[in-house]
Amino acid sequence: MIFDNQYEQQRIQKAQKLKELGHNPYGHNIKRDSTASEFLRTYAYVRDLEDRKDPTKEAKVCGRVKFLRHMGKAAFMKIEDQSGILQIYVNRDSIGADWFKEAKKLIEVGDIVCAVGYPFVTKTGELSLHASKLDIATKAIKPLPEKFHGLQDKELRYRQRYLDMIMNKEVKEVFLKRSKIVSIIREFFEERGFLEVETPMMHPIAGGANAKPFITHHNALGVDRYLRIAPELYLKRVIVGGFEAVFEINRNFRNEGMDHTHNPEFTMLEYYWAYHTYEDLMKLTEELFEILLSKLDLPSKIPYGEFEIDMSTPFRKIKFFDSIVEIGGVPRNILYDRDEIIKYLKEKGLEADEKASLSALQTELFDEFVEPKLINPTFITHYPIAISPLARRSEEDPEIAERFEFFIAGKEIANGFNELNDPLDQYERFKKQLEAKAAGDEEAHEMDEDFIQALGYGMPPTAGEGIGIDRLVMILTNQHSIRDVILFPAMRPLSKEIKEIRKDDK
RNA sequence: GGAUCAUUAGCUCAGUCGGUAGAGCAACGGAUUCUUAAUCCGUGGGCCGUAGGUUCGAACCCUACAUGAUCCA
C-alpha cells in the first residue's frame, strides 16, 4: 500500500467519514466567485466602516488550508489559492453546531476547502471572511511539511516540486516570472515579423551543435533517432524554403553531465533572420533585454548573487583575442603558439593537454581567464573559424568567423553568427568535423548531406542566434542553479526505483 | 570523473566520551467564540539512508554502496 503511514491512514478515514456525512471529499463542479486577493481588494472598504463588517455582502472563496487554529466554539483558518492567502473565521453558531463539531475533526491543514461568508475585520485588524458555510473541496491524505520552516530538503523539493510549490511561495514566483519571460520573448519576435515554427525533436543525424545526443529507436522504420541537440540545421532549411525570419522556442537534449548550469534537457530560443547580419543580431539582443527589463519592472542594475549586473545598453563588445589579452591578462605574443600557451597554462597551475589543437588551447585560455570575469553583459566577437563550424568566414580574415557569443555573470547566454551559406565550404567544414570525430572528438559534427543539398539550392544571407532560456531566467530571477528554474529537473532515480526497473527487465 | 559535507519521527533539527533515541511543529485526547508560527494540559509515533566490519556494546568508529548539496575537472 502506498499510503501506509499512520497519518495517511488517519486522513483516509477522515475522507471516508466526510463522504458518509454527505460531504464528498473529491467533489467536482465546485465554483468560486472570488479569489483570495480579489476578496481582499473588493472589500478593502470594510476597514473604514464603523462596525468594520458588511454582512450585506457574500462571497465564496476556495483554497488550501495552510494554518488552522481551533478556539473551542470558533476557529480561524488561512486558506491559500494562486492569488494569495485569506483568513476565514468559522464559529459554531454560524455554520451549525453539528457540522462544526465534525468539521473540527475532519478538516485539517493541507485540505482544500470552500467558504461562503461576508467580509469583516478582526480585532487584530485583519480583513477576513466570516463564514456562513464551510465545505471540503478536496481532502489531502498526505500531511504537509512543518508550517514554519516549510520544505527545506533540496532533494525532496526537486523530486516533489508540487510540494515545494505548496510550501515555498518564492518558487511559484520564479516560475511565474519564467512564464512571463517566455511570453515577452514570443511577443517580441512576433511583433518584428518573425514566424514561430516547429522543427523535429527526433533527428536522423544529431547536428547543429557540438554535443553528445540521446539515442532512441523508431520501431516502425527500424531506425535509430537522436533527440535533437539543436534545431539549427532545420531552421536554416526553413530559411532556404523562403521564410525569411523564423524562431523556435523549444527543448534541446544533450547527453552530458549535470551541474548547476546544465540539465540534460533545456530550453533554447533560436531565431534566423535573412538579409541581416550578426551586427543586427547584437542590436536586437540589446533591444530584447531592454524590453525584458522594462516589462518585468526590473531596474537597469540587477542583483545576481554577490554581483550587481549593469544591464544598461549598449553592451560591451570585444574581440575574442583582445579579450584574452585585455580581460584575461594573457600576453599577446603567445596567443598563436601552441607550446607557449601550454607553458603559460602550466605556469598558472592548470592542466594543459599536450595534444590539444591550437584553437582548443586558445579556447582554454578564454574559458579560464576571460569567461568568469564577464559579469556585465558582454559580446565577444571575431571567434576563430576552427571552433565555429557553421559560421561564415570573415572576408578580411578567413581564419575568423563572423560570430559573437554573449555573456552575463560569467555564463554564456547566447551565440550568434552570420550563417555559412556556401555549400562547398560547409561541405569541407563537415569533412573537417568528421576527421576530428575520427580522431576521438565525440562531440564533433556529423556529415548532414541533406543540409548541404538544401544550401545547394541557395540560402539567402542570414544571421542566426540561440539564447539559452534557462540561463536567461536564472539571471533575471537571481537563481544560481538551473534546477531552480526548471519545474522538474532531471534527477537520478532513487535506488528502489532502479531495483524495480531491473526486476522488470528480467 | 575527483574532493568535501549531509542523510535521525510526516516536516525542521539536536544527539556529549561508543553505554536504554530527543525537541519543536504536525498527529491523537481534552480546555478555549477574535487567533496570527495562537495558548494551556495529556498521549502516541523511530529500518538513526542501505549492506558489511570493529567492539561485551555502534546513530556515533571503519569499509562499500545509494541519493543529494557544494567545490574542482
Short mmCIF file of all heavy atoms in Angstrom, two decimals, chain A residues 6-7 10 14 69 71 78 87 93 122-124 126 147 155 483 492, chain B residues 10-12 26-28 32-36 38 45 66-69:
data_model
loop_
_atom_site.label_atom_id
_atom_site.label_comp_id
_atom_site.label_asym_id
_atom_site.label_seq_id
_atom_site.Cartn_x
_atom_site.Cartn_y
_atom_site.Cartn_z
N GLN A 6 0.96 6.10 9.24
CA GLN A 6 -0.13 6.27 10.22
C GLN A 6 -0.97 7.53 9.95
O GLN A 6 -2.19 7.51 10.08
CB GLN A 6 0.45 6.32 11.63
CG GLN A 6 1.55 7.36 11.78
CD GLN A 6 2.02 7.55 13.20
OE1 GLN A 6 1.24 7.58 14.14
NE2 GLN A 6 3.33 7.70 13.37
N TYR A 7 -0.28 8.62 9.58
CA TYR A 7 -1.00 9.88 9.36
C TYR A 7 -1.89 9.77 8.13
O TYR A 7 -3.00 10.30 8.09
CB TYR A 7 -0.01 11.04 9.18
CG TYR A 7 0.95 11.16 10.33
CD1 TYR A 7 2.29 10.83 10.18
CD2 TYR A 7 0.50 11.60 11.57
CE1 TYR A 7 3.16 10.93 11.25
CE2 TYR A 7 1.37 11.70 12.65
CZ TYR A 7 2.71 11.37 12.49
OH TYR A 7 3.57 11.46 13.54
N GLN A 10 -4.97 7.77 8.95
CA GLN A 10 -5.94 8.61 9.68
C GLN A 10 -6.73 9.48 8.72
O GLN A 10 -7.95 9.63 8.84
CB GLN A 10 -5.18 9.54 10.63
CG GLN A 10 -4.88 8.96 11.99
CD GLN A 10 -3.94 9.87 12.77
OE1 GLN A 10 -3.79 11.05 12.46
NE2 GLN A 10 -3.30 9.33 13.78
N LYS A 14 -10.68 9.90 7.64
CA LYS A 14 -11.43 11.16 7.72
C LYS A 14 -12.16 11.44 6.40
O LYS A 14 -13.30 11.92 6.40
CB LYS A 14 -10.48 12.31 8.04
CG LYS A 14 -10.00 12.28 9.48
CD LYS A 14 -9.08 13.44 9.77
CE LYS A 14 -8.52 13.31 11.18
NZ LYS A 14 -7.72 14.47 11.56
N ARG A 69 -6.46 27.23 13.47
CA ARG A 69 -6.40 27.47 14.91
C ARG A 69 -7.78 27.28 15.51
O ARG A 69 -8.68 28.08 15.26
CB ARG A 69 -5.89 28.90 15.17
CG ARG A 69 -4.46 29.12 14.71
CD ARG A 69 -3.96 30.51 15.04
NE ARG A 69 -4.32 31.48 14.02
CZ ARG A 69 -3.56 31.75 12.95
NH1 ARG A 69 -2.41 31.15 12.79
NH2 ARG A 69 -3.95 32.64 12.07
N MET A 71 -10.49 27.35 18.39
CA MET A 71 -10.67 28.16 19.59
C MET A 71 -11.90 27.69 20.35
O MET A 71 -12.72 28.50 20.78
CB MET A 71 -10.90 29.63 19.22
CG MET A 71 -9.89 30.20 18.28
SD MET A 71 -8.43 30.74 19.15
CE MET A 71 -9.19 31.62 20.50
N LYS A 78 -6.34 29.91 7.58
CA LYS A 78 -5.85 30.70 6.45
C LYS A 78 -5.89 29.79 5.25
O LYS A 78 -5.32 28.69 5.29
CB LYS A 78 -4.41 31.13 6.70
CG LYS A 78 -4.29 32.03 7.92
CD LYS A 78 -3.84 33.42 7.54
CE LYS A 78 -3.86 34.30 8.77
NZ LYS A 78 -3.09 35.51 8.59
N GLN A 87 -7.82 34.90 5.41
CA GLN A 87 -8.23 34.32 6.68
C GLN A 87 -9.74 34.10 6.72
O GLN A 87 -10.51 34.97 6.33
CB GLN A 87 -7.81 35.22 7.84
CG GLN A 87 -8.26 34.67 9.19
CD GLN A 87 -7.55 35.31 10.36
OE1 GLN A 87 -6.56 34.81 10.84
NE2 GLN A 87 -8.06 36.45 10.79
N ASP A 93 -22.12 28.80 15.80
CA ASP A 93 -23.47 29.29 15.57
C ASP A 93 -23.72 29.65 14.11
O ASP A 93 -24.84 29.54 13.62
CB ASP A 93 -23.75 30.49 16.47
CG ASP A 93 -23.60 30.09 17.94
OD1 ASP A 93 -23.79 28.88 18.23
OD2 ASP A 93 -23.29 30.95 18.76
N THR A 122 -11.04 41.67 11.83
CA THR A 122 -10.91 41.09 13.18
C THR A 122 -10.40 42.14 14.16
O THR A 122 -9.96 43.22 13.77
CB THR A 122 -9.91 39.93 13.17
OG1 THR A 122 -8.62 40.44 12.82
CG2 THR A 122 -10.32 38.84 12.20
N LYS A 123 -10.45 41.78 15.43
CA LYS A 123 -9.96 42.69 16.47
C LYS A 123 -8.51 43.07 16.25
O LYS A 123 -8.06 44.13 16.62
CB LYS A 123 -10.10 42.03 17.85
CG LYS A 123 -11.50 42.15 18.41
CD LYS A 123 -11.59 41.52 19.79
CE LYS A 123 -13.04 41.49 20.23
NZ LYS A 123 -13.25 40.54 21.35
N THR A 124 -7.76 42.12 15.69
CA THR A 124 -6.34 42.41 15.45
C THR A 124 -6.12 43.08 14.10
O THR A 124 -4.98 43.27 13.69
CB THR A 124 -5.50 41.13 15.55
OG1 THR A 124 -6.17 40.11 14.82
CG2 THR A 124 -5.34 40.69 16.99
N GLU A 126 -7.24 42.24 10.82
CA GLU A 126 -7.09 41.55 9.53
C GLU A 126 -8.43 41.37 8.84
O GLU A 126 -9.37 40.81 9.41
CB GLU A 126 -6.42 40.18 9.75
CG GLU A 126 -6.22 39.44 8.43
CD GLU A 126 -5.28 38.25 8.53
OE1 GLU A 126 -4.59 38.13 9.57
OE2 GLU A 126 -5.23 37.47 7.57
N LYS A 147 4.89 23.89 9.24
CA LYS A 147 4.38 25.15 8.70
C LYS A 147 5.34 26.33 8.79
O LYS A 147 5.20 27.27 8.02
CB LYS A 147 3.08 25.51 9.42
CG LYS A 147 3.23 25.76 10.90
CD LYS A 147 1.85 25.92 11.55
CE LYS A 147 1.98 25.92 13.06
NZ LYS A 147 0.67 25.83 13.71
N GLU A 155 16.58 17.84 -2.09
CA GLU A 155 16.25 16.66 -2.88
C GLU A 155 14.73 16.50 -3.00
O GLU A 155 14.19 16.30 -4.08
CB GLU A 155 16.87 15.43 -2.23
CG GLU A 155 16.70 14.21 -3.09
CD GLU A 155 17.49 13.03 -2.57
OE1 GLU A 155 18.29 13.21 -1.64
OE2 GLU A 155 17.29 11.94 -3.12
N ARG A 483 18.45 24.10 -11.72
CA ARG A 483 17.35 23.30 -11.17
C ARG A 483 16.28 24.17 -10.52
O ARG A 483 15.16 23.71 -10.33
CB ARG A 483 17.90 22.33 -10.12
CG ARG A 483 18.83 21.36 -10.74
CD ARG A 483 19.25 20.31 -9.77
NE ARG A 483 19.50 19.09 -10.51
CZ ARG A 483 19.75 17.92 -9.98
NH1 ARG A 483 19.78 17.80 -8.67
NH2 ARG A 483 19.95 16.88 -10.71
N ARG A 492 18.61 11.69 -10.51
CA ARG A 492 18.93 10.26 -10.53
C ARG A 492 17.75 9.50 -9.96
O ARG A 492 17.15 9.96 -8.99
CB ARG A 492 20.13 9.98 -9.63
CG ARG A 492 21.42 10.12 -10.33
CD ARG A 492 22.50 9.37 -9.60
NE ARG A 492 23.70 9.43 -10.39
CZ ARG A 492 24.47 10.51 -10.49
NH1 ARG A 492 24.17 11.59 -9.80
NH2 ARG A 492 25.52 10.50 -11.25
P G B 10 8.07 9.19 9.91
OP1 G B 10 6.86 8.40 10.21
OP2 G B 10 9.24 8.57 9.27
"O5'" G B 10 7.64 10.43 9.01
"C5'" G B 10 7.15 10.24 7.68
"C4'" G B 10 6.49 11.52 7.22
"O4'" G B 10 5.35 11.76 8.08
"C3'" G B 10 7.37 12.76 7.35
"O3'" G B 10 8.09 12.98 6.16
"C2'" G B 10 6.34 13.86 7.60
"O2'" G B 10 5.75 14.27 6.39
"C1'" G B 10 5.30 13.13 8.44
N9 G B 10 5.54 13.22 9.88
C8 G B 10 5.68 12.16 10.74
N7 G B 10 5.88 12.51 11.98
C5 G B 10 5.88 13.89 11.95
C6 G B 10 6.05 14.82 13.00
O6 G B 10 6.24 14.60 14.21
N1 G B 10 5.98 16.13 12.55
C2 G B 10 5.77 16.48 11.24
N2 G B 10 5.74 17.80 11.00
N3 G B 10 5.61 15.63 10.24
C4 G B 10 5.66 14.35 10.66
P C B 11 9.64 13.45 6.19
OP1 C B 11 10.15 13.36 4.81
OP2 C B 11 10.36 12.77 7.28
"O5'" C B 11 9.51 15.00 6.56
"C5'" C B 11 8.98 15.93 5.61
"C4'" C B 11 8.87 17.29 6.25
"O4'" C B 11 7.99 17.21 7.40
"C3'" C B 11 10.16 17.85 6.82
"O3'" C B 11 10.92 18.50 5.82
"C2'" C B 11 9.67 18.82 7.87
"O2'" C B 11 9.19 20.01 7.28
"C1'" C B 11 8.47 18.06 8.43
N1 C B 11 8.77 17.24 9.61
C2 C B 11 8.96 17.89 10.84
O2 C B 11 8.91 19.13 10.88
N3 C B 11 9.20 17.16 11.95
C4 C B 11 9.25 15.84 11.87
N4 C B 11 9.48 15.15 13.00
C5 C B 11 9.07 15.15 10.64
C6 C B 11 8.83 15.88 9.54
P U B 12 12.51 18.64 5.96
OP1 U B 12 12.99 19.34 4.75
OP2 U B 12 13.08 17.33 6.33
"O5'" U B 12 12.68 19.61 7.21
"C5'" U B 12 12.41 21.00 7.08
"C4'" U B 12 12.76 21.71 8.37
"O4'" U B 12 11.88 21.25 9.42
"C3'" U B 12 14.15 21.42 8.89
"O3'" U B 12 15.13 22.20 8.23
"C2'" U B 12 14.01 21.76 10.38
"O2'" U B 12 14.03 23.16 10.57
"C1'" U B 12 12.59 21.26 10.67
N1 U B 12 12.58 19.89 11.23
C2 U B 12 12.73 19.77 12.59
O2 U B 12 12.88 20.73 13.34
N3 U B 12 12.71 18.48 13.08
C4 U B 12 12.55 17.33 12.33
O4 U B 12 12.55 16.24 12.90
C5 U B 12 12.41 17.54 10.92
C6 U B 12 12.43 18.78 10.42
P A B 26 1.21 22.62 15.38
OP1 A B 26 0.17 23.56 14.90
OP2 A B 26 1.18 22.15 16.78
"O5'" A B 26 1.24 21.34 14.43
"C5'" A B 26 1.05 21.46 13.02
"C4'" A B 26 1.12 20.10 12.38
"O4'" A B 26 2.44 19.52 12.59
"C3'" A B 26 0.16 19.06 12.93
"O3'" A B 26 -1.14 19.20 12.41
"C2'" A B 26 0.85 17.77 12.47
"O2'" A B 26 0.66 17.56 11.09
"C1'" A B 26 2.31 18.12 12.74
N9 A B 26 2.65 17.76 14.12
C8 A B 26 2.78 18.58 15.21
N7 A B 26 3.06 17.94 16.32
C5 A B 26 3.12 16.61 15.94
C6 A B 26 3.38 15.43 16.66
N6 A B 26 3.64 15.40 17.97
N1 A B 26 3.36 14.27 15.98
C2 A B 26 3.10 14.28 14.67
N3 A B 26 2.84 15.33 13.88
C4 A B 26 2.87 16.48 14.59
P A B 27 -2.40 18.84 13.30
OP1 A B 27 -3.61 19.07 12.49
OP2 A B 27 -2.24 19.52 14.60
"O5'" A B 27 -2.20 17.28 13.55
"C5'" A B 27 -2.32 16.35 12.49
"C4'" A B 27 -2.17 14.95 13.01
"O4'" A B 27 -0.85 14.79 13.59
"C3'" A B 27 -3.12 14.56 14.13
"O3'" A B 27 -4.37 14.15 13.61
"C2'" A B 27 -2.37 13.42 14.80
"O2'" A B 27 -2.49 12.23 14.06
"C1'" A B 27 -0.93 13.92 14.71
N9 A B 27 -0.51 14.66 15.90
C8 A B 27 -0.27 16.01 16.00
N7 A B 27 0.12 16.40 17.19
C5 A B 27 0.14 15.22 17.94
C6 A B 27 0.47 14.97 19.28
N6 A B 27 0.86 15.92 20.13
N1 A B 27 0.38 13.69 19.71
C2 A B 27 0.00 12.74 18.85
N3 A B 27 -0.34 12.87 17.56
C4 A B 27 -0.24 14.15 17.15
P C B 28 -5.69 14.54 14.36
OP1 C B 28 -6.79 14.11 13.48
OP2 C B 28 -5.62 15.94 14.83
"O5'" C B 28 -5.66 13.60 15.65
"C5'" C B 28 -5.78 12.19 15.50
"C4'" C B 28 -5.59 11.53 16.84
"O4'" C B 28 -4.22 11.74 17.28
"C3'" C B 28 -6.43 12.11 17.98
"O3'" C B 28 -7.75 11.64 17.96
"C2'" C B 28 -5.64 11.65 19.20
"O2'" C B 28 -5.85 10.28 19.45
"C1'" C B 28 -4.20 11.85 18.71
N1 C B 28 -3.68 13.18 19.07
C2 C B 28 -3.18 13.36 20.37
O2 C B 28 -3.22 12.41 21.16
N3 C B 28 -2.70 14.57 20.74
C4 C B 28 -2.69 15.57 19.86
N4 C B 28 -2.19 16.74 20.27
C5 C B 28 -3.18 15.43 18.53
C6 C B 28 -3.67 14.23 18.19
P U B 32 -14.43 24.43 26.80
OP1 U B 32 -15.61 24.87 27.57
OP2 U B 32 -14.59 23.46 25.69
"O5'" U B 32 -13.69 25.72 26.23
"C5'" U B 32 -13.41 26.83 27.08
"C4'" U B 32 -12.48 27.78 26.38
"O4'" U B 32 -11.24 27.09 26.07
"C3'" U B 32 -12.96 28.27 25.01
"O3'" U B 32 -13.91 29.33 25.13
"C2'" U B 32 -11.65 28.72 24.38
"O2'" U B 32 -11.23 29.95 24.91
"C1'" U B 32 -10.69 27.61 24.88
N1 U B 32 -10.56 26.52 23.88
C2 U B 32 -9.52 26.61 22.98
O2 U B 32 -8.71 27.53 22.98
N3 U B 32 -9.44 25.60 22.05
C4 U B 32 -10.29 24.53 21.95
O4 U B 32 -10.11 23.69 21.06
C5 U B 32 -11.34 24.49 22.93
C6 U B 32 -11.44 25.47 23.84
P U B 33 -15.28 29.20 24.31
OP1 U B 33 -16.40 29.57 25.20
OP2 U B 33 -15.31 27.89 23.58
"O5'" U B 33 -15.10 30.34 23.24
"C5'" U B 33 -14.12 30.24 22.23
"C4'" U B 33 -14.39 31.27 21.17
"O4'" U B 33 -15.60 30.92 20.45
"C3'" U B 33 -14.62 32.67 21.73
"O3'" U B 33 -14.02 33.58 20.82
"C2'" U B 33 -16.14 32.83 21.68
"O2'" U B 33 -16.56 34.16 21.54
"C1'" U B 33 -16.47 32.03 20.42
N1 U B 33 -17.84 31.52 20.37
C2 U B 33 -18.65 31.96 19.34
O2 U B 33 -18.26 32.75 18.49
N3 U B 33 -19.91 31.46 19.33
C4 U B 33 -20.43 30.58 20.23
O4 U B 33 -21.59 30.20 20.10
C5 U B 33 -19.54 30.16 21.28
C6 U B 33 -18.31 30.64 21.32
P C B 34 -13.11 34.75 21.41
OP1 C B 34 -12.11 34.16 22.34
OP2 C B 34 -14.00 35.83 21.88
"O5'" C B 34 -12.36 35.25 20.11
"C5'" C B 34 -11.27 34.49 19.59
"C4'" C B 34 -10.39 35.43 18.81
"O4'" C B 34 -11.13 35.93 17.67
"C3'" C B 34 -9.95 36.67 19.59
"O3'" C B 34 -8.66 37.03 19.12
"C2'" C B 34 -10.93 37.73 19.14
"O2'" C B 34 -10.46 39.05 19.23
"C1'" C B 34 -11.12 37.33 17.67
N1 C B 34 -12.37 37.80 17.07
C2 C B 34 -12.30 38.82 16.12
O2 C B 34 -11.21 39.31 15.84
N3 C B 34 -13.43 39.26 15.54
C4 C B 34 -14.60 38.72 15.87
N4 C B 34 -15.68 39.18 15.26
C5 C B 34 -14.70 37.68 16.83
C6 C B 34 -13.56 37.25 17.41
P U B 35 -7.43 37.33 20.11
OP1 U B 35 -7.86 36.99 21.47
OP2 U B 35 -6.93 38.67 19.79
"O5'" U B 35 -6.31 36.30 19.62
"C5'" U B 35 -6.32 34.96 20.07
"C4'" U B 35 -5.94 34.05 18.95
"O4'" U B 35 -7.00 34.02 17.95
"C3'" U B 35 -4.72 34.51 18.14
"O3'" U B 35 -3.52 34.16 18.77
"C2'" U B 35 -4.91 33.75 16.84
"O2'" U B 35 -4.54 32.40 16.99
"C1'" U B 35 -6.43 33.81 16.67
N1 U B 35 -6.89 34.88 15.77
C2 U B 35 -6.74 34.66 14.41
O2 U B 35 -6.22 33.65 13.97
N3 U B 35 -7.19 35.67 13.61
C4 U B 35 -7.78 36.84 14.01
O4 U B 35 -8.16 37.65 13.17
C5 U B 35 -7.90 36.99 15.44
C6 U B 35 -7.46 36.03 16.25
P U B 36 -2.22 35.07 18.61
OP1 U B 36 -1.18 34.49 19.45
OP2 U B 36 -2.65 36.48 18.78
"O5'" U B 36 -1.80 34.92 17.07
"C5'" U B 36 -1.10 33.76 16.63
"C4'" U B 36 -0.81 33.88 15.15
"O4'" U B 36 -2.00 34.32 14.47
"C3'" U B 36 0.28 34.90 14.80
"O3'" U B 36 1.01 34.39 13.71
"C2'" U B 36 -0.51 36.10 14.35
"O2'" U B 36 0.17 36.93 13.47
"C1'" U B 36 -1.70 35.43 13.65
N1 U B 36 -2.85 36.32 13.56
C2 U B 36 -3.36 36.61 12.30
O2 U B 36 -2.90 36.13 11.28
N3 U B 36 -4.40 37.49 12.28
C4 U B 36 -4.98 38.09 13.38
O4 U B 36 -5.91 38.86 13.21
C5 U B 36 -4.40 37.73 14.65
C6 U B 36 -3.38 36.88 14.70
P A B 38 -0.12 29.09 13.89
OP1 A B 38 -0.42 27.67 14.07
OP2 A B 38 -0.63 29.85 12.76
"O5'" A B 38 -0.56 29.89 15.23
"C5'" A B 38 -0.40 29.28 16.48
"C4'" A B 38 -0.61 30.32 17.55
"O4'" A B 38 -1.99 30.78 17.54
"C3'" A B 38 -0.40 29.82 18.97
"O3'" A B 38 0.97 29.80 19.32
"C2'" A B 38 -1.18 30.86 19.76
"O2'" A B 38 -0.49 32.08 19.86
"C1'" A B 38 -2.41 31.06 18.85
N9 A B 38 -3.50 30.15 19.19
C8 A B 38 -3.95 29.06 18.48
N7 A B 38 -4.95 28.44 19.04
C5 A B 38 -5.17 29.15 20.19
C6 A B 38 -6.10 29.01 21.23
N6 A B 38 -7.02 28.05 21.27
N1 A B 38 -6.06 29.89 22.25
C2 A B 38 -5.15 30.86 22.22
N3 A B 38 -4.21 31.10 21.30
C4 A B 38 -4.28 30.21 20.30
P G B 45 4.31 4.33 20.71
OP1 G B 45 4.29 2.89 20.40
OP2 G B 45 5.18 4.85 21.79
"O5'" G B 45 4.62 5.14 19.38
"C5'" G B 45 4.05 4.72 18.14
"C4'" G B 45 4.35 5.72 17.06
"O4'" G B 45 4.06 7.06 17.55
"C3'" G B 45 5.81 5.81 16.64
"O3'" G B 45 6.08 4.85 15.63
"C2'" G B 45 5.95 7.22 16.11
"O2'" G B 45 5.55 7.32 14.75
"C1'" G B 45 4.94 7.99 16.97
N9 G B 45 5.57 8.77 18.04
C8 G B 45 5.65 8.45 19.38
N7 G B 45 6.26 9.37 20.09
C5 G B 45 6.57 10.35 19.16
C6 G B 45 7.24 11.60 19.33
O6 G B 45 7.68 12.09 20.38
N1 G B 45 7.37 12.27 18.13
C2 G B 45 6.91 11.84 16.92
N2 G B 45 7.12 12.62 15.87
N3 G B 45 6.28 10.68 16.73
C4 G B 45 6.16 10.01 17.89
P A B 66 26.91 3.68 -6.10
OP1 A B 66 26.67 3.48 -7.54
OP2 A B 66 27.92 4.65 -5.65
"O5'" A B 66 25.53 4.06 -5.40
"C5'" A B 66 24.36 3.27 -5.64
"C4'" A B 66 23.20 3.84 -4.87
"O4'" A B 66 23.45 3.72 -3.44
"C3'" A B 66 22.97 5.33 -5.06
"O3'" A B 66 22.28 5.61 -6.26
"C2'" A B 66 22.16 5.68 -3.81
"O2'" A B 66 20.82 5.23 -3.94
"C1'" A B 66 22.86 4.81 -2.76
N9 A B 66 23.90 5.54 -2.03
C8 A B 66 25.26 5.51 -2.24
N7 A B 66 25.95 6.26 -1.41
C5 A B 66 24.97 6.82 -0.60
C6 A B 66 25.04 7.71 0.50
N6 A B 66 26.19 8.21 0.98
N1 A B 66 23.89 8.08 1.09
C2 A B 66 22.74 7.58 0.61
N3 A B 66 22.54 6.73 -0.40
C4 A B 66 23.71 6.38 -0.97
P U B 67 22.65 6.89 -7.11
OP1 U B 67 21.98 6.75 -8.41
OP2 U B 67 24.10 7.13 -7.06
"O5'" U B 67 21.94 8.06 -6.30
"C5'" U B 67 20.53 8.07 -6.17
"C4'" U B 67 20.12 9.05 -5.11
"O4'" U B 67 20.65 8.61 -3.82
"C3'" U B 67 20.69 10.46 -5.25
"O3'" U B 67 20.00 11.22 -6.24
"C2'" U B 67 20.51 10.99 -3.84
"O2'" U B 67 19.16 11.27 -3.57
"C1'" U B 67 20.92 9.76 -3.01
N1 U B 67 22.36 9.79 -2.69
C2 U B 67 22.72 10.53 -1.57
O2 U B 67 21.92 11.12 -0.88
N3 U B 67 24.06 10.54 -1.29
C4 U B 67 25.06 9.92 -2.01
O4 U B 67 26.23 10.02 -1.65
C5 U B 67 24.60 9.18 -3.17
C6 U B 67 23.29 9.14 -3.45
P G B 68 20.81 12.32 -7.05
OP1 G B 68 19.90 12.77 -8.12
OP2 G B 68 22.15 11.84 -7.40
"O5'" G B 68 20.96 13.47 -5.98
"C5'" G B 68 19.82 14.17 -5.52
"C4'" G B 68 20.15 15.00 -4.33
"O4'" G B 68 20.75 14.17 -3.30
"C3'" G B 68 21.18 16.09 -4.52
"O3'" G B 68 20.61 17.22 -5.16
"C2'" G B 68 21.61 16.37 -3.09
"O2'" G B 68 20.60 17.09 -2.41
"C1'" G B 68 21.65 14.95 -2.53
N9 G B 68 22.99 14.36 -2.59
C8 G B 68 23.46 13.40 -3.44
N7 G B 68 24.71 13.08 -3.21
C5 G B 68 25.08 13.88 -2.15
C6 G B 68 26.31 13.99 -1.45
O6 G B 68 27.36 13.36 -1.64
N1 G B 68 26.26 14.94 -0.44
C2 G B 68 25.16 15.70 -0.13
N2 G B 68 25.30 16.55 0.87
N3 G B 68 23.99 15.60 -0.76
C4 G B 68 24.03 14.68 -1.76
P A B 69 21.54 18.20 -6.03
OP1 A B 69 20.63 19.13 -6.71
OP2 A B 69 22.53 17.43 -6.80
"O5'" A B 69 22.31 19.00 -4.88
"C5'" A B 69 21.62 19.88 -4.02
"C4'" A B 69 22.56 20.44 -3.00
"O4'" A B 69 23.10 19.35 -2.20
"C3'" A B 69 23.80 21.11 -3.57
"O3'" A B 69 23.55 22.44 -3.96
"C2'" A B 69 24.78 21.01 -2.41
"O2'" A B 69 24.48 21.95 -1.41
"C1'" A B 69 24.45 19.61 -1.87
N9 A B 69 25.29 18.56 -2.47
C8 A B 69 24.98 17.73 -3.52
N7 A B 69 25.93 16.87 -3.81
C5 A B 69 26.92 17.15 -2.89
C6 A B 69 28.19 16.59 -2.66
N6 A B 69 28.70 15.58 -3.37
N1 A B 69 28.94 17.12 -1.66
C2 A B 69 28.44 18.13 -0.94
N3 A B 69 27.26 18.74 -1.06
C4 A B 69 26.54 18.19 -2.06
#
